[in-house]
Amino acid sequence: MEPSTSTACDSKKRKNNAPAAHETAKRLKTGQEDDEAVECGRTSCSPRISVLPESLQQAITPNELMELLHYAALGKTGGIKHPSWCRLHRQRKVQGVNVVLVEGLTQSHFYKHYLTLQHLRSNYTTRVTFTPSSDNLASEIFRSELPEFDCSSVSETEKEKNAIHKALKVHPVITRFGTERRGLTAYVLTEEEMIKKHYPVKGMPGFEEFICTDSVDNVTDSSPLYGLDCEMCLTEKGYELTRVSLVDSDGNCVLDDLVKPENRILNYLTKFSGITAAMLRPIKTTLRDVQAKIRTLLARDAVLVGHSINNDLVSLKLIHKNVIDTSLLYRKEFGQKFKLKVLAETVLKREIQTDDKKGHNPVEDALAALELAQYFIKTGPRQVVELHLEELWGYRIEEESADCEPAPTPAPTPITRFADILQTLGRSVAFLGKRSDVALHLSNQQWHNSDKEVVAAFRRNTKCPFFSVLQLSSFSNQLKSFFPDKERQYQKVCANLRDMCVVFAGPLPADFSERDVRRLFRCCGAVRKIKMLNAAVRVHAEVEFEQLEGALLALKTLNGLNVQGQSIKVQRPVYESMLDLDLTLDALSIDVLNSSHLYAVKLNPSMADSIHLTAKVNGHTKCLDVTPFQTAKRSPPAKLNGYYSETESKQFSNSKSKLSEETLRETFDRFGAVEGIILPAKPGKHPRHAHIKFDSSEGKHAALSSSEDLWKERYLICPSLTPPHLSSWVAMTTPMNSEEAVEDEERTHMHTSSQDQEMELMMKKLDRHLGKLFRSLPDCTLSVVVLLGHTSAHGHLPGLCLMEVKQES
């Protein structure tokens, strides 16, 4: 009997003592470690994901995301390699992969509404910035190629199971629609397809005078089908409508009208249309009349069905968003099409357009197209092809005879597409979301109107698909509706985030320059920007830090500072958007990403000339003398009656403030094992602050409780607030391929608008939907939520990728 996983892990624990944290980090960095050994050294043997230290502050691309998805779904099967930027420990225990793509949201939105997104910030322990892409990411995931995949790893049983499927793989119907039976929404043409094949589409050239039906953007599998067919004649202006017929889902004719063309008729085309001069002579019905009738008859979610229905819609001068074209369902090679008459005889076993009839009967043709679509949907593409392969497409698959030698077969085409590989391995694949051109072999593809329907449909599945992609687009649609000026809305979000790093200071001495302010405030952290505010009487300054921690330390340390004989006040800006800032900062300080992280700066002895720096440490006021550059020619500062003696003050002034990993480890190792240190610095400059990661939160709390001792060594510390995947807080407001942050032109900080309140409600709904989805996933499922980012006029505002393996209940 095999030992249980927990027993095996416990034995490994006893056998291998846990190495030092930084040694573990080194092995993780090189990617040489054994996944199981590392994980069993932890408290859990469940799968776990982590980002390599050198990749933590690098935005990942869609291709890098797919590296993770390929490895998570396939492991080392077929020679799949580890992702280059992260590690998925104990991949063999992963039971499934679920990807959620959220359109319209950026990384900035996540942190602007950080308090509202309680599920996302609490249940996902790994975050990384995501590079936005203009491509259809859902489709790219399924279409992604794995040329290195070794098909020999697929078992013989699985090969036999999919033998027929492979034989028909290149069939045009299977190539387009896959093999599985799906609902009608799978066969409704996308807007991209309609534009490509010259269907009437609103806003496209040539269709300016066409009338639009009142149709919804998305339909469901229960939406009603209507068969449509039209007859035309040739006039002085070209082809014009002479008869229109419409049948409902039950085959009942709801409209069959003759129409009087506006222009003089040159040819009635009686052989095809069945229309004669005598039939049209008494007719008064116009094109406008039948357009109005059709708009009245069709439900908002109606789907029009026809054979080459683009011609019928053009003759009607009508735009309808949701159509199924039977000439594109029953596809032939090289874009050729079957005639409706042939399909009706072969599939429906019914003769239409016979020689004994004078012209076509549009009611009969509309009904035939409707029934052909209903049959295709009910039967499924694979069975349609198998049942009518020889009759329609003119060939068949020969069965091998037992008493004759099998004919030599060409080498099988390598399977390289990700979705095809998964299906070949017998792993179910699913896509749920808005109508999209995902032309792959999907075992379950569903299109829905709203995010709520997408999540509800996924949760209704009795068996969760092994690999699923859900596309949530309601937020993006609502954003367009509530914020017509979308660019302005993104600017406002970025401005609100930058305000969190801003402090106001003053009154300052009249001769204080921007350089003096920068030298004073950079003791708390990197300063991004300073704006001097010259009031009528006194001088103030607006200071914007790169990090949240810089502003926090400035408030705690520099407020009440005596500068050249006058006390300055340091305070936050007072805007409505800042009212809950203290709650946000508290939440960020206990964020799972920051649980063991500490922010530290070392005071620079070369600040401003003879400034007494007053600070409060554990309730006691301390006074430090910070001497300027080149103090040799100046008189020494007066002895202080503060915390330090004159000797200590002199030592303090002369000691080095340069930060290095070695000195930080020496200082902070006494509180607990230091796992890693991040020293952000601009090229050619020494780092002024550091983020220290302890092996556990106990080390962080021990350091915070010893802040008075660290003060003696000239260290200012506070809990880390900026998430470790961000190089700085304002970095997320800086578009990619741009050096400047997106600035709010007016910077007017108006009151919270009704749109802002709507945005908050939308965020709550989104977080609730994602929470329900996460709870419905099987244990040991890798869950990936991607906020897709935004392409801006200023560049690309980055998105955010959140990852978590759902742990065993």
Side-chain angles (χ1 to χ4, degrees):
M1 179 177 176
E2 293 184 3
S4 67
T5 306
S6 59
T7 306
C9 290
D10 290 340
S11 67
K12 287 188 180 183
K13 278 185 186 176
R14 290 192 294 271
K15 197 177 285 185
N16 304 312
N17 293 326
H22 61 277
E23 291 297 323
T24 303
K26 282 182 183 177
R27 289 205 313 277
L28 182 64
K29 223 171 181 181
T30 59
Q32 301 295 321
E33 82 282 16
D34 181 294
D35 287 348
E36 291 191 12
V38 171
E39 196 56 27
C40 288
R42 303 269 176 175
T43 56
S44 168
C45 285
S46 298
R48 179 178 64 88
I49 188 168
S50 62
V51 180
L52 297 178
E54 65 269 26
S55 301
L56 186 60
Q57 292 185 352
Q58 302 293 323
I60 66 166
T61 63
N63 285 339
E64 288 171 321
L65 171 63
M66 283 183 264
E67 286 180 12
L68 170 62
L69 300 181
H70 295 163
Y71 182 73
L74 299 171
K76 296 179 181 178
T77 303
I80 303 299
K81 297 178 181 178
H82 282 282
S84 59
W85 57 279
C86 68
R87 288 293 175 265
L88 180 59
H89 309 281
R90 299 185 65 78
Q91 180 277 334
R92 286 192 293 273
K93 283 203 160 192
V94 171
Q95 298 299 308
V97 181
N98 175 256
V99 184
V100 181
L101 308 176
V102 186
E103 295 181 353
L105 271 186
T106 67
Q107 183 170 247
S108 300
H109 282 110
F110 176 84
Y111 286 109
K112 170 68 173 70
H113 300 276
Y114 179 78
L115 289 177
T116 303
L117 299 171
Q118 189 169 359
H119 159 69
L120 283 180
R121 65 181 168 90
S122 303
N123 291 326
Y124 288 83
T125 59
T126 306
R127 291 177 216 145
V128 64
T129 305
F130 182 76
T131 306
S133 170
S134 58
D135 296 329
N136 180 349
L137 185 57
S139 184
E140 289 304 309
I141 288 172
F142 291 119
R143 293 179 188 272
S144 55
E145 295 284 332
L146 290 166
E148 73 279 11
F149 182 76
D150 181 8
C151 296
S152 63
S153 60
V154 181
S155 70
E156 289 301 319
T157 305
E158 287 165 344
K159 288 179 181 179
E160 289 173 13
K161 187 171 134 185
N162 292 280
I164 299 177
H165 166 75
K166 286 182 184 179
L168 298 176
K169 182 182 174 184
V170 295
H171 193 282
V173 172
I174 301 298
T175 302
R176 174 60 183 88
F177 300 112
T179 58
E180 301 299 320
R181 187 173 60 186
R182 292 172 282 170
L184 68 87
T185 52
Y187 308 108
V188 176
L189 294 177
T190 64
E191 185 175 78
E192 291 82 0
E193 288 176 310
M194 292 177 74
I195 293 172
K196 185 177 179 181
K197 297 184 182 298
H198 309 294
Y199 287 74
V201 175
K202 186 178 180 180
M204 296 304 294
F207 306 119
E208 294 84 0
E209 297 180 1
F210 282 40
I211 301 297
C212 296
T213 59
D214 189 24
S215 58
V216 295
D217 289 334
N218 298 97
V219 293
T220 67
D221 288 337
S222 58
S223 295
L225 295 174
Y226 285 82
L228 175 70
D229 190 66
C230 296
E231 300 299 340
M232 288 155 273
C233 66
L234 181 63
T235 72
E236 292 176 325
K237 297 291 185 180
Y239 292 100
E240 289 191 49
L241 183 71
T242 53
R243 185 176 176 182
V244 56
S245 300
L246 190 70
V247 296
D248 64 17
S249 296
D250 297 323
N252 302 313
C253 181
V254 294
L255 176 68
D256 184 22
D257 281 0
L258 292 169
V259 181
K260 191 83 166 181
E262 292 181 0
N263 300 289
R264 187 169 68 89
I265 298 173
L266 302 178
N267 189 340
Y268 286 91
L269 304 176
T270 307
K271 179 181 177 182
F272 304 103
S273 67
I275 303 297
T276 62
M279 291 171 64
L280 289 184
R281 197 170 293 119
I283 300 302
K284 303 294 184 186
T285 304
T286 65
L287 177 64
R288 296 287 181 189
D289 295 332
V290 292
Q291 286 175 337
K293 284 184 181 181
I294 291 174
R295 293 188 68 198
T296 303
L297 287 168
L298 294 180
R300 294 195 66 217
D301 64 338
V303 177
L304 283 177
V305 179
H307 197 76
S308 296
I309 193 174
N310 52 322
N311 298 326
D312 301 307
L313 293 172
V314 168
S315 68
L316 280 166
K317 292 191 176 181
L318 194 70
I319 294 174
H320 188 76
K321 294 178 182 177
N322 305 301
V323 299
I324 293 176
D325 193 330
T326 50
S327 71
L328 299 178
L329 288 183
Y330 299 84
R331 292 168 174 245
K332 294 179 74 173
E333 292 84 353
F334 312 114
Q336 295 177 323
K337 296 180 180 181
F338 289 109
K339 291 183 177 180
L340 180 63
K341 174 183 173 73
V342 172
L343 290 175
E345 290 174 357
T346 305
V347 178
L348 304 178
K349 308 303 179 187
R350 182 192 308 157
E351 290 189 354
I352 61 171
Q353 303 173 3
T354 55
D355 294 335
D356 60 337
K357 294 180 182 177
K358 195 174 183 180
H360 299 178
N361 182 340
V363 176
E364 191 177 64
D365 291 356
L367 182 60
L370 173 72
E371 292 180 354
L372 283 168
Q374 290 173 329
Y375 173 80
F376 193 98
I377 295 166
K378 182 181 178 181
T379 308
R382 176 172 175 169
Q383 273 195 287
V384 167
V385 171
E386 289 176 341
L387 291 171
H388 306 287
L389 186 61
E390 187 173 2
E391 291 177 290
L392 282 177
W393 289 278
Y395 62 93
R396 61 183 177 179
I397 300 172
E398 296 289 346
E399 296 290 335
E400 288 185 3
S401 174
D403 57 354
C404 66
E405 289 291 326
T409 56
T413 305
I415 303 171
T416 58
R417 284 204 301 190
F418 181 43
D420 294 342
I421 291 170
L422 287 174
Q423 288 185 313
T424 303
L425 293 171
R427 296 172 187 172
S428 54
V429 182
F431 170 79
L432 294 88
K434 69 177 184 180
R435 181 157 42 112
S436 184
D437 185 15
V438 183
L440 294 164
H441 307 292
L442 304 181
S443 60
N444 184 20
Q445 184 174 342
Q446 300 177 37
W447 294 338
H448 298 278
N449 291 330
S450 67
D451 296 350
K452 183 178 180 180
E453 290 177 9
V454 171
V455 174
F458 182 86
R459 295 175 67 208
R460 280 196 300 268
N461 288 328
T462 53
K463 185 178 179 182
C464 188
F466 175 79
F467 187 93
S468 53
V469 176
L470 280 67
Q471 190 161 11
L472 305 185
S473 52
S474 292
F475 185 90
S476 179
N477 295 335
Q478 290 174 311
L479 206 59
K480 292 175 186 175
S481 135
F482 287 120
F483 299 95
D485 188 352
K486 196 174 180 181
E487 198 68 34
R488 183 73 173 170
Q489 192 272 333
Y490 283 112
Q491 288 181 358
K492 186 174 182 180
V493 169
C494 292
N496 288 340
L497 290 171
R498 290 195 301 276
D499 287 340
M500 296 169 69
C501 294
V502 170
V503 296
F504 286 99
L508 298 167
D511 60 347
F512 235 55
S513 67
E514 181 179 319
R515 184 183 180 191
D516 294 327
V517 176
R518 184 178 295 274
R519 293 175 68 188
L520 172 61
F521 277 85
R522 70 185 180 189
C523 71
C524 299
V527 175
R528 175 179 174 263
K529 188 173 68 173
I530 291 171
K531 182 179 180 181
M532 301 303 294
L533 307 171
N534 297 309
V537 179
R538 299 183 294 187
V539 176
H540 296 75
E542 178 185 331
V543 183
E544 183 179 310
F545 288 91
E546 293 276 355
Q547 308 275 15
L548 295 169
E549 296 87 347
L552 182 65
L553 281 180
L555 288 167
K556 291 184 176 181
T557 308
L558 301 181
N559 188 33
L561 171 71
N562 190 291
V563 179
Q564 297 181 11
Q566 65 185 62
S567 177
I568 66 168
K569 186 174 183 180
V570 180
Q571 60 186 342
R572 297 270 189 193
V574 182
Y575 307 131
E576 193 170 349
S577 62
M578 303 282 283
L579 295 179
D580 286 333
L581 178 60
D582 56 335
L583 296 177
T584 302
L585 296 180
D586 287 344
L588 284 168
S589 69
I590 60 173
D591 188 297
V592 64
L593 273 66
N594 284 327
S595 60
S596 58
H597 287 68
L598 188 74
Y599 177 86
V601 293
K602 194 166 187 180
L603 296 177
N604 194 326
S606 54
M607 290 168 53
D609 191 8
S610 301
I611 291 180
H612 291 184
L613 180 58
T614 304
K616 293 184 179 180
V617 180
N618 293 340
H620 303 288
T621 301
K622 316 293 183 218
C623 188
L624 306 179
D625 181 38
V626 183
T627 56
F629 286 115
Q630 300 174 342
T631 56
K633 296 181 181 179
R634 301 173 187 251
S635 57
K639 185 175 179 179
L640 305 174
N641 294 320
Y643 186 88
Y644 292 99
S645 66
E646 185 175 9
T647 304
E648 290 173 324
S649 178
K650 197 174 290 185
Q651 291 172 349
F652 183 80
S653 296
N654 295 329
S655 65
K656 293 182 179 179
S657 62
K658 182 179 174 182
L659 286 177
S660 69
E661 185 169 342
E662 184 181 354
T663 57
L664 286 167
R665 283 193 184 277
E666 287 176 3
T667 303
F668 289 93
D669 256 336
R670 65 179 185 261
F671 304 113
V674 175
E675 185 176 316
I677 294 172
I678 298 175
L679 286 166
K682 293 182 179 179
K685 294 189 177 182
H686 296 302
R688 298 184 178 277
H689 65 276
H691 289 276
I692 301 162
K693 183 181 181 183
F694 290 94
D695 194 41
S696 68
S697 58
E698 284 78 10
K700 167 186 169 180
H701 295 305
L704 288 171
S705 63
S706 302
S707 55
E708 186 170 347
D709 294 331
L710 289 168
W711 176 264
K712 295 177 184 178
E713 301 174 52
R714 302 180 63 197
Y715 283 103
L716 295 177
I717 62 170
C718 71
S720 285
L721 303 173
T722 303
H725 71 92
L726 296 175
S727 57
S728 76
W729 184 258
V730 296
M732 76 176 97
T733 71
T734 305
M736 295 176 174
N737 306 321
S738 172
E739 296 180 357
E740 293 298 323
V742 178
E743 301 290 352
D744 189 349
E745 294 175 3
E746 297 179 9
R747 197 71 185 268
T748 51
H749 307 287
M750 296 182 292
H751 293 292
T752 302
S753 64
S754 59
Q755 287 101 333
D756 294 325
Q757 293 171 351
E758 285 289 345
M759 184 93 163
E760 201 70 28
L761 288 174
M762 286 156 54
M763 287 291 189
K764 280 184 181 178
K765 286 182 182 178
L766 175 66
D767 193 63
R768 189 165 61 246
H769 292 327
L770 293 174
K772 289 179 179 178
L773 175 66
F774 186 80
R775 289 189 291 274
S776 71
L777 296 175
D779 293 339
C780 296
T781 295
L782 172 64
S783 174
V784 180
V785 177
V786 184
L787 313 184
L788 291 174
H790 170 63
T791 301
S792 163
H794 300 272
H796 299 295
L797 286 176
L800 184 66
C801 182
L802 303 99
M803 296 160 284
E804 185 60 48
V805 178
K806 187 180 179 186
Q807 299 302 310
E808 296 178 13
S809 303

